[in-house]
């Protein structure tokens, strides 16, 4: 049976309170106060669509002994590169085999669901990892600045013990430009909201849902969860009523806690729904944008046996409230900041060097000596153990998922950081291996010798002169569940 084998999600740690945005713009537009409730997920300065995609994919693949990934499909409307395969960076960070197929799906609000539908319809024995991630920018004092949120979702599709089987897959393509972003533009342009609601949402979505349910031979009354990935208030309830689905079956759109994550939002909502679902339930997933995608899925008994993962709920629980709206503007390059002399250096990345070291840099692969068992990063021809010194005995050893702890740390206020102080220190990995690393998503007062850590794929530096983003791994505080794992407890 072909269907969904696993799911994952990622939501950044920082959550900007909408009240802080409204308070900053109250002098200009008092109507923004209608959106002042709740908070929106906000990327740190070292996060983007690629780093979030990696984290969501890692969450999706966690706990699986064998993950049959033959194809990687990355959907986003905010990828950093226009003429480089962004999904190749994600594939390398996940240490997928070089014979994996990879494709970027851009310029579509329905990119994630369209990719998922194609994966579910795909050929036999092809495992597909569908990942969606968006970090969209919005004009200051716009409603979108309040309604947007940064996040990612991932779904693994293939044959085997599926946790959800497709009952119907419905796609409709209608060229209605409710909003758009032209080539070279930074933010989207929106048309009138009532027109979008009446000619778009109300006129197109209920009919597509009805067609999908007919195809699945499921009456509306048997739908257990309806996921409508729209940012407008009450839109999901209105669509449910028109489709004949009970209002209490409408899933939380996560508007108050995350915001709308654009292309990634359908997969984020699906991960949230699957994390709370029981076997045998019918889920309907809806995405809108130049048409409608509708997926009707039924969960299976295998869902209960899926290894535990953070999922949407777990990442949302790790949030930290942020009230500094200026920090949000700076992190999103919407406000020019005086960075000082220490930031004034050429960040040229020799592409040949990065290529030769891609497994070590993007994949975070070190080595273990086959003679004495010593672990080290980076991998080298000679073992670093002075009592060994074996030559040519190194075997690949991935470090990304290895528990680690703080061995020493520094909070540096002289070195440049977009979010001072710059925190870094020596990290000791379980089973051997240590290196000096940057810390991220950890406050200065949280740092302590022995603090349990997990690795996170992040932006290391950005070459503004050439538009090149350099990625590497950073250390961040482990979740309490991960702390137990690091201690060797269950």
């Amino acid at each position: 049976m072909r269907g969904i084998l696993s799911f994952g999600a990622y939501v950044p740690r920082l959550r900007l309170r909408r009240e802080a945005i409204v308070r900053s713009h109250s002098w200009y537009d008092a109507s923004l106060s209608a959106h002042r409730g709740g908070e929106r997920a906000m990327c740190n300065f070292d996060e983007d669509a690629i780093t979030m995609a990696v984290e969501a994919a890692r969450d999706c693949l966690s706990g699986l002994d064998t993950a049959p990934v033959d194809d990687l499909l990355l959907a986003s409307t905010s990828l950093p590169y226009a003429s480089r395969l962004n999904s190749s960076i994600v594939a390398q960070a996940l240490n997928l085999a070089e014979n994996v197929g990879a494709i970027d799906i851009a310029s579509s609000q329905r990119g994630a669901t369209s990719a998922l539908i194609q994966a579910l319809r795909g050929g036999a024995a092809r495992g597909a990892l569908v990942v969606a991630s968006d970090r969209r920018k919005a004009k200051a004092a716009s409603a979108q600045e309040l309604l947007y949120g940064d996040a990612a979702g991932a779904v693994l599709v293939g044959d085997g013990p599926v946790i959800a089987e497709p009952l119907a897959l419905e796609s409709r393509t209608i060229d209605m430009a409710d909003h758009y972003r032209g080539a070279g533009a930074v933010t989207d342009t929106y048309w009138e909201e009532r027109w979008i609601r009446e000619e778009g949402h109300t006129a197109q979505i209920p009919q597509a849902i009805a067609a999908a349910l007919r195809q699945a031979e499921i009456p509306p009354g048997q739908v257990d969860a309806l996921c409508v990935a729209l940012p407008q208030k009450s839109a999901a309830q209105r669509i449910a009523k028109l489709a004949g689905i009970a209002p209490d079956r409408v899933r939380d759109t996560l508007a108050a806690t995350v915001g709308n994550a654009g292309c990634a939002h359908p997969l984020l909502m699906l991960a949230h729904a699957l994390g709370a679902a029981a076997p045998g339930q019918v889920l309907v997933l809806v995405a809108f944008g130049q048409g409608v995608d509708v997926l009707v899925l039924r969960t299976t008994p295998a869902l209960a046996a899926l290894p535990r993962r953070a999922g949407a709920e777990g990442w949302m629980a790790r949030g930290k409230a942020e009230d500094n709206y200026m920090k949000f503007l700076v992190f999103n390059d919407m406000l020019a900041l005086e960075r000082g002399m220490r930031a004034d250096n050429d960040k040229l990345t020799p592409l040949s060097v990065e290529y030769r070291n891609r497994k070590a840099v993007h994949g975070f692969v070190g080595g273990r000596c086959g003679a004495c068992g010593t672990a080290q990063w980076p991998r080298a021809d000679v073992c670093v153990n002075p009592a060994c010194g074996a030559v040519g005995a190194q075997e690949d050893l991935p470090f990304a998922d290895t528990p680690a702890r703080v061995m020493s740390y520094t909070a540096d206020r002289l070195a440049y950081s977009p979010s001072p102080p710059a925190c870094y220190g020596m990290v000791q990995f379980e089973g051997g291996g240590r290196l000096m690393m940057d810390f991220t998503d950890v406050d200065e007062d949280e740092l302590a010798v022995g603090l349990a850590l997990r690795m996170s794929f992040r932006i290391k530096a950005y070459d503004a002169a050439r538009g090149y983003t350099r990625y590497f791994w950073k250390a961040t505080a482990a979740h309490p569940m991960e702390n137990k794992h690091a201690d060797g407890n269950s």
Side-chain angles (χ1 to χ4, degrees):
M1 178 190 299
R2 187 169 184 83
I4 293 175
L5 298 170
S6 182
F7 65 90
Y10 178 73
V11 182
R13 175 178 180 245
L14 297 178
R15 312 296 161 77
L16 180 62
R17 295 187 186 276
R18 292 192 175 99
E19 173 64 33
I21 305 176
V22 172
R23 187 167 57 246
S24 297
H25 298 311
S26 59
W27 63 275
Y28 176 73
D29 188 354
S31 69
L32 294 175
S33 62
H35 306 295
R36 73 189 320 144
E39 56 192 17
R40 55 153 294 171
M42 161 188 162
C43 275
N44 206 337
F45 72 91
D46 56 358
E47 295 184 288
D48 67 0
I50 285 181
T51 66
M52 291 192 296
V54 171
E55 292 303 316
R58 292 175 70 198
D59 190 40
C60 180
L61 300 176
S62 64
L64 303 182
D65 294 331
T66 57
V69 180
D70 300 299
D71 296 298
L72 172 61
L73 297 85
L74 174 61
S76 178
T77 63
S78 55
L79 294 170
Y81 292 106
S83 63
R84 179 188 181 185
L85 187 62
N86 295 270
S87 52
S88 69
I89 305 172
V90 176
Q92 188 69 71
L94 297 174
N95 280 312
L96 299 181
E98 289 188 351
N99 64 353
V100 69
I103 187 171
D104 294 345
I105 301 168
S107 307
S108 172
Q109 301 170 53
R110 292 187 289 130
T113 49
S114 297
L116 180 54
I117 288 173
Q118 293 304 314
L120 289 168
R121 288 174 175 165
R126 296 289 294 185
L129 178 59
V130 181
V131 189
S133 177
D134 247 344
R135 181 190 185 183
R136 298 179 296 171
K137 297 181 181 180
K139 294 177 182 177
S142 67
Q144 287 71 45
E145 186 180 39
L146 291 147
L147 296 175
Y148 283 179
D150 306 325
V155 174
L156 180 64
V157 172
D159 298 315
V162 302
I163 63 171
E165 57 178 330
L167 303 180
L169 306 170
E170 177 78 10
S171 286
R172 299 187 173 190
T173 299
I174 305 167
D175 186 28
M176 175 186 178
D178 57 320
H179 72 274
Y180 66 92
R181 185 172 74 250
V186 175
T187 60
D188 290 324
T189 296
Y190 279 76
W191 203 245
E192 198 267 328
E193 184 175 342
R194 185 177 64 175
W195 177 76
I196 297 172
R197 181 177 64 247
E198 294 179 357
E199 292 295 325
H201 304 163
T202 302
Q204 298 177 25
I205 297 177
Q207 291 85 338
I209 293 175
L213 291 177
R214 284 195 302 270
Q215 182 187 148
E217 299 182 348
I218 298 288
Q222 291 185 12
V223 173
D224 295 291
L226 174 63
C227 301
V228 182
L230 292 176
Q232 290 83 359
K233 290 182 179 179
S234 304
Q237 284 76 13
R238 183 171 58 253
I239 288 167
K241 182 178 179 181
L242 292 170
I245 298 173
D248 62 348
R249 305 300 170 89
V250 176
R251 290 287 305 178
D252 180 9
T253 62
L254 309 179
T257 51
V258 177
N260 185 269
C263 175
H265 208 70
L267 294 196
L268 179 68
M269 289 192 68
L270 178 60
H272 192 235
L274 288 172
Q281 291 188 332
V282 175
L283 278 61
V284 176
L285 177 64
V286 178
F288 175 82
Q290 286 74 67
V292 185
D293 283 338
V294 180
L295 295 88
V296 182
L297 308 166
R298 178 186 285 129
T299 56
T300 73
L303 178 62
L306 186 70
R308 186 176 179 184
R309 64 214 49 252
E313 191 68 35
W315 287 113
M316 288 192 294
R318 302 185 193 193
K320 178 194 174 186
E322 177 61 67
D323 290 313
N324 193 331
Y325 174 60
M326 298 295 286
K327 182 185 291 187
F328 170 79
L329 291 178
V330 170
F331 284 5
N332 282 278
D333 296 321
M334 303 298 286
L335 183 67
L337 184 73
E338 171 53 51
R339 300 178 186 271
M341 293 178 61
R342 289 186 175 89
D344 188 17
N345 63 307
D346 195 335
K347 293 182 172 61
L348 170 67
T349 300
L351 302 185
S352 54
V353 174
E354 185 179 75
Y355 166 74
R356 285 193 293 268
N357 295 282
R358 63 193 183 280
K359 289 181 68 175
V361 174
H362 288 166
F364 206 26
V365 175
R368 185 183 296 281
C369 179
C372 70
T374 298
Q376 64 183 75
W377 188 97
R379 174 177 169 167
D381 290 334
V382 181
C383 176
V384 296
N385 183 352
C388 177
V391 179
Q394 295 281 309
E395 302 169 349
D396 280 355
L397 179 65
F399 277 89
D401 294 319
T402 303
R405 293 191 179 275
V406 174
M407 190 175 180
S408 66
Y409 66 91
T410 297
D412 191 341
R413 286 180 168 77
L414 293 179
Y416 169 73
S417 170
S419 183
C423 296
Y424 51 88
M426 188 65 72
V427 172
Q428 176 69 51
F429 287 88
E430 188 177 283
R434 66 179 65 165
L435 69 148
M436 189 74 70
M437 299 187 73
D438 290 325
F439 298 125
T440 188
D441 284 347
V442 183
D443 296 331
E444 178 184 359
D445 56 5
E446 295 179 74
L447 288 171
V449 172
L451 176 69
L453 300 169
R454 68 179 297 272
M455 301 301 109
S456 184
F457 193 67
R458 297 295 176 110
I459 296 172
K460 176 65 175 178
Y462 179 68
D463 180 358
R466 302 166 189 86
Y468 193 82
T469 303
R470 190 161 72 244
Y471 297 94
F472 188 53
W473 295 81
K474 297 183 181 181
T476 186
H479 187 264
M481 183 175 69
E482 294 164 332
N483 288 355
K484 291 181 181 180
H485 175 66
D487 289 333
N489 300 326
S490 58

